[in-house]
Amino acid sequence: ASTEYLQNYLDNEYYGSISIGTPGQQFTVLFDTGSSNLWVPSVYCSSPACSNHDRFNPSESSTFTGTNDSLEITYGTGSMTGVLGYDTVTVAGLQVVNQIFGLAETEPGDFFYYCPFDGILGLAYPSISSSGATPVFDNMMSQNLVSQDLFSVYLSGDEQSGSFVLFGGIDSSYTTNGITWIPLSAETYWEITMDRYVSVGGQAVACTSGCQAIVDTGTSLLAVPNSALSNILSYLGANSNGEISCQAINSLPDVVFYLNGNAFPVPPSAYVIQSNGYCTLGFEAIDVPTEAGELWILGDVFIREYYVIFDRGNNRVGLSPLA
Amino acid sequence: AVHRVPLRKGKSLRQILKERGLLESYLQQHPYNPAAKYFPSF
């Protein structure tokens, strides 16, 4: 069974469209570099929770092939189960044939009714794909649909539009400040090594002996170890809930990550989130198993500051400053 | 062979639940742990 933990997508704001089947059936999905499976709701899910979403109907696709393999998608309020099937998936005009994907069938928790996307398209490595399902980008590569075995992501901070995922190339207009390449430390998630401490205002606040980081478009904030979060909140003058005076933004320092010998600053304009006159820090605690060591998740707060190239051909991440 | 998928920035599920007064009860019933995505058994 495949398991997706949807509560982790509570904060995501960026969505795109794909179609599945022949003729194509449209879905809004989250492009998630922190997972590897593709799934969408199906017509077999008849609950009110599913009624607010587009649902895939296999009987209306001439290219669909079913399987008996099961799928489980765990939501915060329960789980949705389904089956795996194969069909043509169209992403940005690319037709990926025989793509395996999950068709969610049974009733999830009621809150799924409000979920702003229908499904998730995972862009991480096949090694973490549930049920051994081949990820979409692996099929794009094996079917020679992309000229380079990489994709890149730009997330715009302010505009409702302008953000994109680019399959098979790099948009040079977003790399005028140069690209720094960082080798992956594991071919699972897009995992890289932070080789020095994380600093705030020049002070080391965490990761003093090196640690791991995952670049994840499916996580909105900067997820940091519990121990580091208290240091960061204290240093930045926030309360324990991460709330801070909006007037303080101009005087706050950069948070700096060191990757492959290079500094990658994130300014307060990026890590302070303003909403309805209140300001909070865009950090959240992540409590990982001890054996996993110190793990950071560089989510959208980080990605909005850098054009990110996910290079499967060379197993590396490229970062180009946008400012 | 370069293909661009435009992404639109919209409301998050958290924002939607908050506007409908459902966020607090949801989070009370289902404490949020970002690690669950990377360590499901944890």
Side-chain angles (χ1 to χ4, degrees):
Chain A
S2 165
T3 303
E4 293 274 4
Y5 286 82
L6 194 66
Q7 64 265 45
N8 291 289
Y9 301 104
L10 205 56
D11 292 290
N12 282 98
E13 299 172 315
Y14 299 91
Y15 313 109
S17 296
I18 64 168
S19 71
I20 303 177
T22 309
Q25 300 174 37
Q26 299 289 320
F27 298 94
T28 297
V29 296
L30 190 154
F31 288 86
D32 179 18
T33 61
S35 68
S36 295
N37 291 83
L38 168 65
W39 68 264
V40 294
S42 78
V43 291
Y44 303 125
C45 178
S46 57
S47 70
C50 281
S51 66
N52 200 31
H53 290 90
D54 291 318
R55 290 172 287 173
F56 181 73
N57 187 345
S59 66
E60 291 183 357
S61 174
S62 61
T63 46
F64 178 78
T65 304
T67 77
N68 292 321
D69 296 326
S70 66
L71 163 84
E72 180 179 357
I73 300 160
T74 301
Y75 293 82
T77 50
S79 65
M80 177 192 273
T81 58
V83 294
L84 292 164
Y86 293 83
D87 209 333
T88 300
V89 174
T90 304
V91 184
L94 290 169
Q95 285 197 312
V96 185
V97 298
N98 291 319
Q99 174 64 51
I100 189 169
F101 68 105
L103 294 78
E105 289 182 326
T106 58
E107 184 175 349
D110 288 344
F111 93 99
F112 179 69
Y113 181 89
Y114 299 106
C115 195
F117 54 88
D118 302 313
I120 291 173
L121 191 155
L123 290 167
Y125 279 74
S127 58
I128 60 160
S129 179
S130 300
S131 306
T134 304
V136 170
F137 193 70
D138 286 74
N139 277 331
M140 285 186 184
M141 293 190 291
S142 65
Q143 294 174 22
N144 296 314
L145 299 175
V146 285
S147 56
Q148 297 179 79
D149 291 344
L150 56 81
F151 60 92
S152 51
V153 173
Y154 167 70
L155 298 183
S156 170
D158 301 323
E159 304 161 28
Q160 289 189 325
S161 59
S163 308
F164 61 82
V165 181
L166 192 65
F167 290 101
I170 300 168
D171 187 332
S172 59
S173 63
Y174 291 85
T175 60
T176 52
N177 292 320
I179 303 170
T180 301
W181 293 103
I182 301 135
L184 297 187
S185 50
E187 293 161 25
T188 51
Y189 299 97
W190 290 93
E191 185 171 332
I192 53 183
T193 298
M194 294 205 286
D195 44 18
R196 280 176 63 187
Y197 52 82
V198 176
S199 76
V200 178
Q203 294 284 323
V205 293
C207 190
T208 48
S209 53
C211 51
Q212 298 298 301
I214 292 172
V215 185
D216 184 2
T217 58
T219 289
S220 183
L221 306 180
L222 289 163
V224 313
N226 268 324
S227 56
L229 184 63
S230 55
N231 278 350
I232 292 170
L233 296 185
S234 169
Y235 198 89
L236 295 175
N239 67 20
S240 58
N241 293 322
E243 295 162 337
I244 196 164
S245 162
C246 293
Q247 275 112 29
I249 294 177
N250 292 334
S251 59
L252 291 174
D254 290 352
V255 174
V256 183
F257 301 94
Y258 292 93
L259 305 167
N260 208 22
N262 296 276
F264 291 90
V266 176
S269 58
Y271 69 70
V272 176
I273 296 169
Q274 298 189 59
S275 177
N276 298 325
Y278 294 92
C279 287
T280 54
L281 298 181
F283 297 91
E284 62 184 344
I286 182 168
D287 182 18
V288 303
T290 307
E291 61 272 22
E294 194 174 324
L295 178 68
W296 293 59
I297 310 299
L298 305 179
D300 296 348
V301 165
F302 179 86
I303 297 169
R304 280 194 285 265
E305 293 300 299
Y306 298 93
Y307 180 58
V308 185
I309 302 150
F310 298 88
D311 186 351
R312 282 291 304 273
N314 297 291
N315 298 315
R316 59 185 183 172
V317 168
L319 296 175
S320 183
L322 290 166
Chain B
V2 176
H3 297 262
R4 189 182 306 252
V5 183
L7 302 179
R8 57 188 176 276
K9 190 178 182 204
K11 286 182 182 178
S12 67
L13 180 56
R14 183 187 295 272
Q15 288 172 295
I16 296 168
L17 291 175
K18 190 174 183 180
E19 288 171 5
R20 294 178 178 274
L22 300 171
L23 180 62
E24 195 170 335
S25 60
Y26 170 73
L27 290 175
Q28 279 175 352
Q29 292 171 45
H30 308 283
Y32 170 65
N33 177 13
K37 180 175 181 181
Y38 312 98
F39 306 97
S41 59
F42 183 64

